[in-house]
Amino acid sequence: MNYLELINKCLVELNYKQVNAFSELTKNDHKKLKNIINIVNTDVCGSEKWNFLIRKKEITLPAKTGEIQNTIDGRIEAIISDGAKFEYYHDFERFFVNSQPQNTYSLFNDKILFPIFNTDKTLEIIYYTKNCASDAEGQEKFSLENEDDCSLIPEPYVEPIIVYGSCMKLKGNPEHVRFSYWYSMYKEALMNLRSRISASADDVPSVRMFRR
């Protein structure tokens, strides 16, 4: 379900008139709704370590350098090389004098720091992307911008999460006649996503609400 389709679903739920084209979204409520849809989408994507956001990238660490440019567009989960996992170590200053514990890494400004090795190392970096959407060609991006952009939240969860969550935030009044319904449907959809698409079967389903 693309951005325009999600917007029209919200408009129907809000008893507003649907639009035939993205260019028709010119009213203030349209602009607010577009922004709120992105807030809900990014909040949900950033709330958990969802397995649909896991990505993998291979980078070469040159010999006798001990650092690489951090090109990872998200949160690093694991770094593996030669079958060994590198653990994050908070004291980055120790890497400057190569006195850090073995098989560790740290972060400093836009660099990932490692022990200094005598040979090149191939690093497999597993991370959770910070991107929350993709365009028509499948190129990932942070937010929904164009009518054919899609959320990275998988079907069939994206529609109820985005639609009910956005309607709830747009009205923002618990006394609204449909607020409780929107909240319950949003909560149920988010719990279903959490329980069926979690990174671990041992995770306990939970619901996190974000207000801005």
Side-chain angles (χ1 to χ4, degrees):
M1 178 164 290
N2 65 34
Y3 193 19
L4 180 59
E5 290 170 335
L6 287 172
I7 291 170
N8 270 326
K9 288 284 186 179
C10 290
L11 292 175
V12 169
E13 191 64 32
L14 293 163
N15 290 322
Y16 293 165
K17 183 179 178 180
Q18 293 187 77
V19 298
N20 295 314
F22 204 68
S23 58
E24 297 176 23
L25 298 169
T26 57
K27 298 180 180 179
N28 285 337
D29 277 352
H30 291 156
K31 296 174 183 177
K32 289 179 182 178
L33 180 58
K34 288 165 66 178
N35 182 56
I36 286 173
I37 286 174
N38 268 300
I39 289 174
V40 173
N41 190 48
T42 55
D43 278 353
V44 170
C45 286
S47 67
E48 300 286 345
K49 291 182 177 181
W50 304 112
N51 62 8
F52 58 83
L53 298 179
I54 295 176
R55 304 290 182 267
K56 183 172 67 174
K57 189 173 187 178
E58 284 194 353
I59 297 178
T60 298
L61 173 67
K64 300 180 180 180
T65 58
E67 66 178 40
I68 56 173
Q69 192 76 20
N70 187 1
T71 59
I72 302 303
D73 199 17
R75 298 171 290 174
I76 295 174
E77 175 67 14
I79 299 179
I80 301 169
S81 181
D82 297 331
K85 181 179 178 180
F86 285 75
E87 301 292 340
Y88 176 75
Y89 188 68
H90 70 281
D91 189 359
F92 61 85
E93 293 182 351
R94 293 185 60 178
F95 286 79
F96 298 147
V97 293
N98 205 31
S99 65
Q100 71 288 320
Q102 188 178 12
N103 289 340
T104 59
Y105 76 95
S106 192
L107 301 172
F108 176 72
N109 289 339
D110 58 350
K111 305 286 187 181
I112 307 178
L113 308 178
F114 294 92
I116 295 176
F117 298 100
N118 292 325
T119 59
D120 292 354
K121 291 285 185 181
T122 299
L123 306 171
E124 183 177 81
I125 302 180
I126 300 168
Y127 65 99
Y128 291 90
T129 180
K130 71 176 183 180
N131 291 321
C132 305
S134 64
D135 62 22
E137 284 72 45
Q139 295 297 312
E140 293 184 0
K141 58 202 301 187
F142 181 69
S143 59
L144 298 159
E145 300 170 302
N146 304 313
E147 63 178 275
D148 51 4
D149 289 347
C150 293
S151 168
L152 293 185
I153 299 173
E155 300 284 359
Y157 311 102
V158 62
E159 179 182 341
I161 286 174
I162 297 297
V163 173
Y164 295 122
S166 298
C167 291
M168 182 176 62
K169 281 183 175 288
L170 181 66
K171 292 305 179 181
N173 181 8
E175 300 302 318
H176 188 279
V177 64
R178 291 183 64 80
F179 188 91
S180 294
Y181 169 75
W182 291 332
Y183 175 74
S184 64
M185 295 300 289
Y186 168 83
K187 183 172 66 173
E188 180 181 349
L190 189 55
M191 288 188 68
N192 286 336
L193 175 69
R194 180 66 176 80
S195 62
R196 299 176 190 178
I197 310 188
S198 60
S200 170
D202 297 325
D203 289 341
V204 178
S206 62
V207 175
R208 300 183 183 184
M209 294 295 296
F210 299 85
R211 295 184 183 275
R212 293 190 180 182

